[in-house]
Amino acid sequence: MNKKTISKIVRASGISPGQMVLVHFWGEDVDKDTANNFMVQLRITLTL
């Protein structure tokens, strides 16, 4: 999954600053980059 798609998913989720978000990774080690990119995008979105 590319970073642009992840960004769109995060924005569409309606998460706003001050909310707690639980990210549970369930997948293969090769997919860790996708999970990490998702958490980075959450951080960027919630700090803007």
Side-chain angles (χ1 to χ4, degrees), residues 1-17 19 21-23 34-48:
M1 187 177 305
N2 65 38
K3 292 180 181 182
K4 188 173 182 178
T5 301
I6 293 170
S7 176
K8 288 179 180 181
I9 291 170
V10 170
R11 283 184 299 201
S13 70
I15 298 168
S16 59
Q19 290 183 308
V21 177
L22 172 64
V23 177
T34 299
N36 289 338
N37 289 337
F38 185 77
M39 289 185 286
V40 166
Q41 189 60 48
L42 281 172
R43 174 86 172 157
I44 291 168
T45 300
L46 296 178
T47 56
L48 293 178

